[in-house]
Amino acid sequence: MNVKPLADRVLILPNPAEEKTAGGLFIPDTAKEKPLAGKVVAVGPGTKEVEMEVKVGDQVLYGKYAGTELQIEGESYLIMKQNDILAII
């Protein structure tokens, strides 16, 4: 992939949405919730004020409405500022 985030931005591949409930029922596409976790795919260099704490390969949690959705090579990604990331897991 040739995408390199600028400044303090991070490119994230969201984890897939749950297909089944704990009881074994299948969830239809219209009822699936947007995942709130994903894998960091690319990291910007940071800025003078913001040092990058996440690195490629980290699993992270982010806010429900954080980031901007992108389609790259047929795959959905999110790009967001590092301060929109809540935790590294």
Side-chain angles (χ1 to χ4, degrees):
M1 176 183 332
N2 296 340
V3 177
K4 178 72 173 159
L6 300 176
D8 62 339
R9 289 181 175 76
V10 178
L11 187 67
I12 297 175
L13 177 62
N15 291 344
E18 293 292 321
E19 298 287 327
K20 284 201 282 187
T21 64
L25 298 175
F26 286 96
I27 301 171
D29 289 336
T30 56
K32 288 182 186 173
E33 288 200 21
K34 184 176 166 184
L36 302 176
K39 181 178 178 182
V40 175
V41 177
V43 177
T47 64
K48 291 180 183 178
E49 297 83 25
V50 179
E51 180 182 334
M52 298 306 285
E53 296 181 30
V54 297
K55 60 186 180 306
V56 174
D58 283 348
Q59 286 286 330
V60 295
L61 297 175
Y62 48 85
K64 188 170 190 169
Y65 301 106
T68 302
E69 208 168 306
L70 303 171
Q71 290 287 329
I72 303 170
E73 298 174 1
E75 192 78 40
S76 290
Y77 293 90
L78 287 172
I79 192 162
M80 64 183 70
K81 289 190 171 244
Q82 178 178 256
N83 64 2
D84 290 335
I85 296 174
L86 305 174
I88 299 172
I89 52 175

